[in-house]
Amino acid sequence: MIDIPFGPHPRQRLDLHVPASGSEGVIAFVHGGSWARRDRKVVRCWYLLECGYAVASLGYRLSQHAPFPAQVRDVNAGLAKLSRIAPEHGLRMDRLGLLGLSAGGHLAALAALARDVPDFAPDPGIRIRAVVDYYGPSDLARSGARSESALNEAVSQLLGAGAADAQAVSRASPVNHCQAGSPPFLLIHGDADTVVPVRQSLDLHARLHSVGADPELIVVPGGGHVRPRMHTPEIEARICRFLDHRLKT
């Protein structure tokens, strides 16, 4: 099923793909694009269908449509819609994971970690049991270095007036929402990423480990941002093993 609405804006839609043999779990995919480009139709995880998972690709309003936190609210609204339609599609929402790339990794991490922030509008009945975060920014306060000008510009557009407010920047950063009970994470990042530096995943991994969240980290030597080396069959198999371990056992 495609173009399932969960809000009035054209971007507030989801596409649901279910394996022909039925699903053993659900993975919500959140696309990247600096919070300002691309859409849910570009899905980078079709292999999950072969692993037995339904894939729900979530749309969200871009930064030019609405400032943060509209984006994470849309992810949460999409998950709520998915939960409502789960019975008619045989979806195992008790086996729910998120997978996001770049800006989508940021939103997936934030939606999973900030379940106690009312302004992000999480559905309290939804439990996210695993997150795969591909080279997502985790600490937006650290995006202002001169060497990270592209990320800094994207963050400024995302946060709007909030970009000058340290508290607002902190609230938008997944690294500041890690706490006991946070779901397991698989973080994947290239050490040659010039768009989102690898330290963003290193910092999130360390913070998750400090609260007992049992994170896993893959650092790809020579891996860049959205480059083929980051999406090899070996890494995809590792993702399937991670999800199988966290969702099916």
Side-chain angles (χ1 to χ4, degrees), residues 55-144:
V55 175
S57 186
L58 307 182
Y60 57 88
R61 286 168 290 173
L62 302 178
S63 54
Q64 61 266 35
H65 300 139
F68 183 86
Q71 294 70 30
V72 70
R73 287 177 179 170
D74 286 354
V75 170
N76 281 322
L79 294 176
K81 178 67 173 185
L82 197 60
S83 181
R84 290 194 294 272
I85 66 174
E88 64 187 279
H89 297 289
L91 303 180
R92 292 289 303 270
M93 290 298 288
D94 59 323
R95 296 178 176 181
L96 172 65
L98 304 185
L99 188 154
L101 276 66
S102 192
H106 162 265
L107 294 174
L110 196 60
L113 294 171
R115 306 299 296 169
D116 57 352
V117 180
D119 196 35
F120 294 171
D123 184 329
I126 291 175
R127 180 189 175 197
I128 297 165
R129 293 183 53 193
V131 180
V132 179
D133 180 353
Y134 254 110
Y135 36 75
S138 66
D139 186 354
L140 302 191
R142 298 189 66 175
S143 67

Side-chain angles (χ1 to χ4, degrees), residues 13-81:
R13 302 286 187 274
L14 68 85
D15 297 340
L16 176 62
H17 308 273
V18 181
S21 58
S23 67
E24 300 179 64
V26 185
I27 307 302
F29 173 77
V30 190
H31 71 84
S34 301
W35 304 282
R37 299 187 300 277
R38 303 195 177 95
D39 61 35
R40 70 184 188 279
K41 300 298 182 181
V42 181
V43 180
R44 297 296 297 267
C45 59
W46 292 121
Y47 57 90
L48 292 177
L49 292 171
E50 299 178 7
C51 295
Y53 294 100
V55 175
S57 186
L58 307 182
Y60 57 88
R61 286 168 290 173
L62 302 178
S63 54
Q64 61 266 35
H65 300 139
F68 183 86
Q71 294 70 30
V72 70
R73 287 177 179 170
D74 286 354
V75 170
N76 281 322
L79 294 176
K81 178 67 173 185

Side-chain angles (χ1 to χ4, degrees), residues 144-210:
R146 185 171 301 174
S147 61
E148 301 167 30
S149 58
L151 177 57
N152 183 38
E153 181 179 348
V155 169
S156 295
Q157 182 171 331
L158 173 71
L159 299 180
D165 183 341
Q167 186 174 357
V169 175
S170 176
R171 188 182 66 143
S173 299
V175 73
N176 296 320
H177 294 279
C178 300
Q179 56 189 306
S182 294
F185 270 65
L186 175 59
L187 301 159
I188 306 170
H189 217 123
D191 64 6
D193 194 323
T194 59
V195 178
V196 179
V198 68
R199 73 162 185 256
Q200 292 272 337
S201 285
L202 295 174
D203 288 351
L204 182 55
H205 179 265
R207 190 70 63 86
L208 287 165
H209 183 73
S210 73

